[in-house]
Amino acid sequence: MNKFREEDVYIFNKKRECMSREDMRELQLRRLKKSVKYAYDNVAFYRDLYDKNNVAPEDLKELEDLELFPFITKDDLRKTYPFDLQAALKEDWKEVHSTSGTTGIPTVAAYTQKDLDIWAESTARGLASVGVHKNDIVNVAYGFGLFTGGHGAQYGAQKIGALAVPMSSGNTQRQMNFLKDFPADFLCCTPSYALYLAESFEKEGIDPSSIALRGGLFGAEMWTEEIRNKLESKFGISAQNIYGLTEVIGPGVSVDCHIKEGMHIAEDHFYPEIIDPNTLEVLPEGETGEIVFTSLTKTGMPVIRYRTKDITSLNYEKCECGRTTVRMNRITGRSDDMIKVKGVIVFPKQIEEVIMKMDELAPAYQIVVSRPDTLDEIEVQVEIDQANFKDSITDLEGFRHKIGERIKDAIGISVKVTLAEPYTIPRSEGKAVRVIDKRDFS
Ligand code: ZN
């Protein structure tokens, strides 16, 4: 049963979200000039970088002149750890967030009150587009703490005047009790955790669509249309994608409207460019490449041309929902997370699409890459969904073969498929770990 109500959705900030393209570009240029100058005047890192590259804030006459300025990367953020990229005076910092640092030194960002306001506005726009109103309850099951997920959704909900329940991630039994007993209208968490919640309800014999939820914003990890379809049919909700990163502000940089044909970027605050990750050239509208963001209004840690490594494309056409802000498509990969196996480039997403399309499989999987002798091997571990598996147990071998063939069709190379016992593949309470690379590259 679908409980989502289209009549509930609205545009939070019509003035900004429905501007003419011309007015938007004018606003962006004005803010860009200010932001670049602010970074140059207040952050030694930018000043040195631009002096070395012979560019200055005054060179910005048109939006396109931004191409004259060098990019910054995660490495630059690490080099300036913890606070050398901060532009605001320390007494104006109001909150600090950080990436997990699982792949090295974490990225730390201090937020001023103005930044927190921009952030709340950005996530509020997203929550409005899934239909959150003043009297609603929003269950926030993203992690709280240094991670930006939880706070971003909470600030947005509170900006609207809704009741935010800061559940945080984990403690699934309590999550389920709360969702039933203190019925939330909306849920914000990672898509993998939402799926796990649905499964956990089913395991207890409760139909997940029988709880009150009508919609949700899901993000903080890469996901596919197949997962969206599963979340929507299991919970009977509208499952909308929210994108963001700590370096830029956190979740809310862009969010799906209910039309779900790309995430509207809050481009009056975050200016996007798409570049070819190899040549670093800016690509024409509509082409797929790495998305780069420049903050236009941030005062704590301004970022000018930050390379996200996320691969997507932009669409400037006016959306059916009435918003005119540019839409970015679903992230299809990261320029640094493709797996290269036997010389073939494989994105985990390609394997995920196959698995999520097969109803006989549970929505959990893991990809293990190893090199047992001299050749790379991919093992895909999947679980049978007992409720949907119709064939008899003796057909397991044939079923395994069928999965292998479908994956081979999708990625072009053979993989080893392993059928795991139900509920043995680890479910994540935060960001899912889908790929384990056991190869030794040292
Ligand atoms: Zn739209």
Side-chain angles (χ1 to χ4, degrees):
M1 186 188 53
N2 194 345
K3 294 157 289 164
F4 173 65
R5 301 194 299 241
E6 203 178 311
E7 62 274 21
D8 284 348
V9 306
Y10 61 105
I11 298 173
F12 186 76
N13 186 340
K14 273 210 172 102
K15 187 177 163 209
R16 293 292 181 231
E17 295 179 83
C18 303
M19 284 175 109
S20 74
R21 291 303 316 165
E22 207 174 279
D23 289 349
M24 177 59 83
R25 284 178 62 86
E26 208 187 292
L27 176 75
Q28 286 175 323
L29 179 60
R30 205 166 62 230
R31 289 183 167 179
L32 180 65
K33 285 179 175 173
K34 224 172 128 183
S35 187
V36 171
K37 184 163 172 19
Y38 174 74
Y40 185 87
D41 288 347
N42 294 287
V43 184
F45 169 86
Y46 283 112
R47 203 155 50 240
D48 296 345
L49 182 69
Y50 296 166
D51 288 351
K52 217 166 62 198
N53 284 273
N54 287 315
V55 282
E58 298 71 44
D59 295 330
L60 267 175
K61 306 252 181 331
E62 314 276 344
L63 279 175
E64 285 69 24
D65 294 335
L66 187 58
E67 291 176 36
L68 302 168
F69 291 77
F71 296 103
I72 62 164
T73 63
K74 206 172 183 75
D75 275 346
D76 294 317
L77 269 62
R78 284 178 176 150
K79 273 184 237 152
T80 52
Y81 173 89
F83 295 121
D84 284 354
L85 271 190
Q86 307 301 318
L89 295 174
K90 207 166 185 175
E91 62 246 42
D92 292 327
W93 301 359
K94 292 290 172 269
E95 198 166 299
V96 166
H97 284 281
S98 168
T99 60
S100 57
T102 39
T103 55
I105 300 169
T107 301
V108 183
Y111 293 58
T112 61
Q113 187 56 51
K114 194 178 170 214
D115 296 339
L116 293 174
D117 294 343
I118 294 165
W119 194 15
E121 155 91 22
S122 307
T123 45
R125 289 182 191 180
L127 290 163
S129 66
V130 70
V132 176
H133 285 263
K134 205 174 175 317
N135 299 323
D136 289 321
I137 301 176
V138 181
N139 193 308
V140 184
Y142 282 116
F144 278 78
L146 286 170
F147 176 52
T148 49
H151 291 86
Q154 174 173 342
Y155 296 154
Q158 290 172 339
K159 173 118 187 160
I160 286 175
L163 170 58
V165 183
M167 275 305 290
S168 198
S169 55
N171 204 339
T172 301
Q173 190 57 50
R174 192 177 61 181
Q175 301 262 3
M176 290 158 65
N177 293 345
F178 253 72
L179 285 170
K180 280 186 311 200
D181 305 338
F182 188 54
D185 304 280
F186 296 91
L187 174 66
C188 298
C189 63
T190 58
S192 57
Y193 190 58
L195 268 183
Y196 177 54
L197 277 171
E199 267 193 317
S200 306
F201 276 117
E202 285 167 347
K203 225 168 140 184
E204 291 205 347
I206 299 165
D207 177 358
S209 76
S210 69
I211 59 170
L213 288 183
R214 302 200 301 278
L217 295 185
F218 305 99
E221 66 188 13
M222 226 181 303
W223 53 307
T224 51
E225 281 306 304
E226 284 71 22
I227 289 192
R228 183 187 333 254
N229 295 339
K230 271 205 193 312
L231 284 178
E232 296 197 330
S233 62
K234 279 182 188 290
F235 280 113
I237 59 171
S238 175
Q240 295 173 209
N241 199 353
I242 178 164
Y243 170 86
L245 54 176
T246 307
E247 293 83 351
V248 178
I249 199 134
V253 172
S254 66
V255 192
D256 269 334
C257 65
H258 70 286
I259 306 292
K260 298 171 208 168
E261 285 177 6
M263 296 175 278
H264 289 277
I265 298 176
E267 55 171 329
D268 47 330
H269 297 293
F270 315 107
Y271 180 76
E273 296 170 282
I274 298 283
I275 62 162
D276 178 322
N278 299 312
T279 66
L280 305 185
E281 294 287 318
V282 174
L283 294 173
E285 189 182 326
E287 285 197 24
T288 299
E290 179 181 330
I291 191 156
V292 171
F293 279 105
T294 295
S295 64
L296 299 177
T297 48
K298 246 172 98 182
T299 51
M301 187 181 82
V303 283
I304 313 294
R305 300 199 96 194
Y306 179 68
R307 287 187 60 183
T308 63
K309 306 267 171 147
D310 289 330
I311 305 294
T312 181
S313 57
L314 297 178
N315 175 3
Y316 285 88
E317 276 169 36
K318 187 179 170 181
C319 181
E320 237 179 88
C321 71
R323 292 177 183 83
T324 52
T325 43
V326 62
R327 280 169 286 166
M328 62 185 268
N329 288 310
R330 196 178 266 292
I331 304 293
T332 54
R334 280 180 61 80
S335 53
D336 59 1
D337 91 339
M338 30 186 219
I339 327 167
K340 212 170 167 190
V341 185
K342 298 175 188 164
V344 177
I345 287 170
V346 175
F347 283 105
K349 173 183 175 281
Q350 296 170 292
I351 295 174
E352 176 176 307
E353 280 171 351
V354 173
I355 294 166
M356 295 299 160
K357 272 186 194 148
M358 298 180 78
D359 284 339
E360 307 96 313
L361 292 177
Y365 69 96
Q366 208 152 44
I367 300 168
V368 182
V369 190
S370 60
R371 190 175 287 167
D373 299 305
T374 51
L375 283 179
D376 294 337
E377 192 178 280
I378 301 186
E379 178 191 353
V380 180
Q381 299 170 351
V382 292
E383 279 176 18
I384 283 178
D385 185 325
Q386 285 174 319
N388 289 314
F389 191 72
K390 304 281 185 291
D391 296 336
S392 73
I393 294 301
T394 49
D395 293 330
L396 280 181
E397 195 48 38
F399 181 57
R400 211 169 58 83
H401 184 74
K402 182 167 109 180
I403 304 167
E405 285 299 303
R406 292 207 184 163
I407 294 176
K408 190 180 173 186
D409 283 347
I411 65 173
I413 50 173
S414 301
V415 301
K416 179 178 158 196
V417 175
T418 307
L419 298 177
E421 291 292 317
Y423 304 109
T424 54
I425 293 175
R427 265 61 164 179
S428 125
E429 295 184 335
K431 297 189 190 200
V433 177
R434 304 295 204 191
V435 183
I436 297 168
D437 200 333
K438 291 183 171 168
R439 291 175 296 179
D440 182 5
F441 293 104
S442 58

